[in-house]
Amino acid sequence: MMIASNFKTNYTRAKADSFIKSIQACMTRTKSEQEVRIFAPFTALNSFDEVKNLKVGAQNFYPVQNGSFTGEIGFEQLEEFGIETVLIGHSERRHILKESHAFIAQKYDFAKARDAEIIYCVGEPAEVRMQGIDAVMSYLWEQFEGIDIHYEKLIIAYEPVWAIGTGLSARLEDIEEVLERLREKLSKPLLYGGSVKVENIESILHVKECDGVLVGTASWNEEAFCEMIRIADSVKK
Ligand SMILES: O=C(CO)COP(=O)(O)O
């Protein structure tokens, strides 16, 4: 399974380096078999390759190799650190930073053309959830418009917007229902994100179509993130 941490706009370079080295040690000590990803801020990127199943990824990028786009980070700047996994379509980029779906799809195609691993994020806002599962699925499938769902290195993260950062994850039956409906058309790994923490990760990972988690807040504590990885190692599916 995949256990991913999204640092969002947190951690200095020094603290991120210490965190990542701590997780490397944790995975070596526990002989973890999980695929672990840490999405650190750009300033914290470096080449961390001591543990084969731990990769540091980028939370964002501008869809060019390089060029004249003041303030942006292109793929050339990611490749310098051996970054080969990216987040695309996170709800905070869609709803806070107002990134259009067309631009998200453009980033997707760019990353795919560079053979990057992509964690593609989808999720509905509360007002859609209140209209019921059919409205939720209609909203989610719109987020796949123009997205190659057969791309070999695609991983999908279902993150209901209303569960992100609230401390209240979606109910297990809601997670199961959405993942099962996504599975009707998608063959790639399905992650859940939205207030995952030590206390609920085991039950979430036992959800039938759940192949892992994408964690924000609770993963910013290295002991907690190491414990989540250990719990994932204990889950037999
Ligand atoms: O956005 C998320 C991961 O990308 C989830 O954040 P929280 O775990 O803080 O709800």
Side-chain angles (χ1 to χ4, degrees):
M1 288 187 283
M2 182 168 282
I3 309 300
S5 168
N6 178 3
F7 278 8
K8 302 191 182 184
T9 316
N10 300 290
Y11 276 99
T12 62
R13 184 173 179 79
K15 281 175 66 180
D17 185 70
S18 164
F19 182 106
I20 292 164
K21 287 188 166 69
S22 167
I23 300 303
Q24 286 172 334
C26 161
M27 292 176 69
T28 303
R29 185 172 64 249
T30 60
K31 296 185 176 53
S32 175
E33 296 178 353
Q34 302 309 307
E35 282 299 325
V36 175
R37 300 293 183 268
I38 295 176
F39 293 95
F42 288 131
T43 50
L45 297 183
N46 204 338
S47 300
F48 298 94
D49 52 7
E50 285 75 9
V51 175
K52 65 177 171 46
N53 48 327
L54 166 57
K55 289 190 173 70
V56 175
Q59 298 173 30
N60 185 38
F61 62 93
Y62 196 73
V64 293
Q65 188 64 15
N66 53 45
S68 301
F69 304 93
T70 302
E72 293 298 334
I73 300 282
F75 242 66
E76 185 176 81
Q77 289 84 35
L78 300 185
E79 288 167 347
E80 180 181 12
F81 300 117
I83 300 300
E84 54 188 19
T85 185
V86 290
L87 283 182
I88 295 178
H90 192 278
S91 69
E92 288 155 3
R93 297 208 60 84
R94 293 179 191 263
H95 302 293
I96 298 173
L97 298 158
K98 305 299 180 196
E99 208 161 87
S100 71
H101 180 71
F103 191 42
I104 287 166
Q106 185 184 344
K107 287 186 176 181
Y108 185 95
D109 288 345
F110 189 89
K112 172 189 164 190
R114 276 153 185 77
D115 198 35
E117 177 186 72
I118 298 171
I119 295 187
Y120 184 67
C121 303
V122 296
E124 82 284 356
E127 58 271 22
V128 173
R129 167 55 64 176
M130 289 165 64
Q131 297 168 39
I133 186 63
D134 289 342
V136 169
M137 295 314 301
S138 173
Y139 188 93
L140 297 183
W141 291 127
E142 280 179 21
Q143 293 185 319
F144 284 99
E145 284 296 316
I147 301 298
D148 174 7
I149 60 173
H150 303 294
Y151 174 50
E152 178 199 357
K153 293 187 178 179
L154 168 60
I155 297 153
I156 293 118
Y158 167 58
E159 296 198 303
V161 180
W162 46 274
I164 293 175
T166 63
L168 288 173
S169 71
R171 295 179 309 166
L172 297 179
E173 53 266 42
D174 293 332
I175 299 171
E176 182 166 10
E177 184 175 43
V178 170
L179 296 188
E180 285 188 348
R181 295 235 190 161
L182 289 174
R183 182 59 75 217
E184 289 168 8
K185 294 184 188 174
L186 302 171
S187 61
K188 302 302 177 184
L190 299 175
L191 312 183
Y192 168 78
S195 296
V196 177
K197 45 195 157 187
V198 167
E199 296 77 10
N200 64 18
I201 187 172
E202 184 170 7
S203 55
I204 290 170
L205 290 177
H206 274 109
V207 168
K208 184 165 173 280
E209 296 297 347
C210 185
D211 302 305
V213 291
L214 177 54
V215 193
T217 310
S219 73
W220 300 339
N221 172 294
E222 54 205 74
E223 287 78 23
F225 192 51
C226 181
E227 177 62 8
M228 284 188 248
I229 295 168
R230 190 199 61 74
I231 291 169
D233 279 326
S234 70
V235 170
K236 301 301 174 221
K237 294 188 82 169

